[in-house]
Amino acid sequence: MCNNECDASTEELAHPPELMFDFEGRNPTTFWQSSSWRKYPKPLQVNITLSWNKSIELTDDIVLTFESGRPEQMVLEKSLDFGRTWTPYQFYATDCLDAFTMEPKTASELTQLTLLDIICTEEYSRGYVWKNDKTVRFEIKERFALFAGPRLHNMASLYGQLDTTKKLRDFFTITDLRIKLLKPATGATMVDENNLSRYFYAISDVKVQGRCKCNLHANSCVFDKGRLGCECEHNTTGPDCSRCKKHYHGRAWSVGSYLPIPKGTANICIPSMNGPVHRANASSLGVVNRNKGRPAGFLRTFTKTQQITAS
């Protein structure tokens, strides 16, 4: 792809990782490129880790765009504890049985009962450099559709499930993502050892859409001192609005609720019985009344290039 002109030490000829996240509208497309498979048969393995230092709720498909052939073996992993531990999200291979001893499946085969299953798919590992087969996906919307319907018209059903099923909420929540590239595209059953420079990974775009997890106690998320944090409401505090403020422990903290649809329940932290007395004035009454019945962050999302909102 580089016509023998790739050089990581020269800015004009380098293809560093940040080119996976720049604006894609230019021609030619910018992309990150790995080193080639010159040490074959030693595996050419690369990890790409995305960290938010914040809990994020995914709202749309994760999409990777490859400018090389799509990898023949790959694993998408997630972390819920800032990279301390990892669990697989999905396996990808041209032959799932051979690569991971797993029967191949697609997201369209999942049901409400198997939605949380970790599957291996062969859907995104075929082809070498086909123009229309560049993307690898993790299908968030297809999983949403199992409760919300094919066109996501019945979101109330999905929100009801998210509200009552912690494992389902956690499945769509991440603090980090890791893309484990295990085997590059070869386009053949045998690797051409006389032309190993043709085997590598190249990614032009990584698309992850989501919103800050604020437990339905915030409408926005901001960068403060280099970190992403919720602008908490309802007398809550913390990076995820996961506890009541001081003097507001009149009842136990609780996550906001989507139920009853459509307004939901804010579950506001109330003043402690032995805390300072706060008398409402005319302006604060308006805030209390406006927020009384609705959790913050209803139906808001963000991408890496858009305004960040929260839930």
Side-chain angles (χ1 to χ4, degrees):
M1 287 178 65
C2 295
N3 296 320
N4 298 318
E5 293 182 353
C6 288
D7 186 349
S9 64
T10 304
E11 183 176 354
E12 294 79 8
L13 302 177
H15 292 270
E18 51 264 33
L19 294 182
M20 289 184 281
F21 305 100
D22 61 348
F23 175 70
E24 287 302 334
R26 294 178 289 177
N27 191 14
T29 299
T30 58
F31 55 90
W32 159 81
Q33 183 168 325
S34 74
S35 58
S36 56
W37 204 0
R38 295 186 183 278
K39 295 184 179 180
Y40 177 85
K42 183 179 178 181
L44 179 62
Q45 299 183 349
V46 179
N47 287 348
I48 300 168
T49 306
L50 291 77
S51 301
W52 284 266
N53 293 316
K54 173 79 182 71
S55 298
I56 301 295
E57 295 173 330
L58 299 173
T59 58
D60 207 336
D61 294 358
I62 298 169
V63 184
L64 316 178
T65 304
F66 284 83
E67 297 302 320
S68 61
R70 296 181 295 185
E72 293 186 4
Q73 294 178 17
M74 185 187 107
V75 184
L76 184 65
E77 296 180 321
K78 62 172 286 188
S79 175
L80 271 172
D81 56 10
F82 307 96
R84 287 187 288 273
T85 60
W86 295 89
T87 56
Y89 237 165
Q90 193 151 289
F91 294 85
Y92 303 81
T94 52
D95 187 331
C96 287
L97 276 173
D98 180 62
F100 302 114
T101 63
M102 298 173 68
E103 291 285 347
K105 284 188 177 180
T106 64
S108 60
E109 296 177 66
L110 295 172
T111 67
Q112 290 185 2
L113 295 177
T114 61
L115 184 152
L116 302 182
D117 287 359
I118 309 304
I119 65 171
C120 178
T121 179
E122 299 176 356
E123 190 173 2
Y124 302 106
S125 304
R126 304 186 188 98
Y128 184 53
V129 197
W130 300 105
K131 184 176 181 181
N132 296 323
D133 289 332
K134 288 185 174 184
T135 60
V136 173
R137 290 177 174 268
F138 180 69
E139 305 91 339
I140 296 292
K141 283 193 169 181
E142 275 198 63
R143 288 168 168 84
F144 283 171
L146 293 174
F147 293 105
R151 297 186 180 181
L152 304 183
H153 284 165
N154 188 14
M155 293 301 287
S157 175
L158 173 62
Y159 288 140
Q161 291 295 325
L162 291 170
D163 209 70
T164 56
T165 312
K166 184 179 184 298
K167 285 185 177 180
L168 190 63
R169 291 198 303 272
D170 287 348
F171 184 82
F172 296 113
T173 302
I174 61 173
T175 59
D176 307 76
L177 274 178
R178 185 161 66 188
I179 305 159
K180 299 189 73 171
L181 304 172
L182 303 178
K183 184 180 180 181
T186 62
T189 55
M190 301 292 291
V191 173
D192 182 0
E193 297 187 43
N194 296 317
N195 192 14
L196 293 174
S197 62
R198 65 181 288 193
Y199 306 122
F200 53 86
Y201 308 106
I203 299 176
S204 60
D205 193 49
V206 175
K207 182 180 179 183
V208 180
Q209 294 190 67
R211 60 188 179 190
C212 286
K213 180 179 180 180
C214 300
N215 290 297
L216 296 180
H217 288 307
N219 277 308
S220 60
C221 211
V222 296
F223 283 102
D224 183 29
K225 298 178 181 178
R227 295 182 69 90
L228 197 59
C230 303
E231 290 196 311
C232 298
E233 302 175 15
H234 307 156
N235 303 320
T236 62
T237 188
D240 298 344
C241 308
S242 57
R243 63 182 186 273
C244 291
K245 285 182 176 179
K246 187 178 181 181
H247 305 308
Y248 284 88
H249 295 278
R251 64 182 176 198
W253 175 91
S254 179
V255 64
S257 173
Y258 291 110
L259 303 175
I261 300 293
K263 289 186 176 181
T265 306
N267 292 330
I268 298 171
C269 292
I270 62 175
S272 306
M273 295 300 292
N274 58 354
V277 177
H278 296 275
R279 299 188 182 278
N281 56 34
S283 61
S284 67
L285 280 173
V287 174
V288 172
N289 289 338
R290 187 171 67 248
N291 291 335
K292 186 173 182 181
R294 176 172 298 205
F298 226 64
L299 304 175
R300 304 261 183 122
T301 63
F302 78 89
T303 67
K304 290 182 76 67
T305 57
Q306 296 174 342
Q307 179 182 0
I308 297 173
T309 58
S311 71

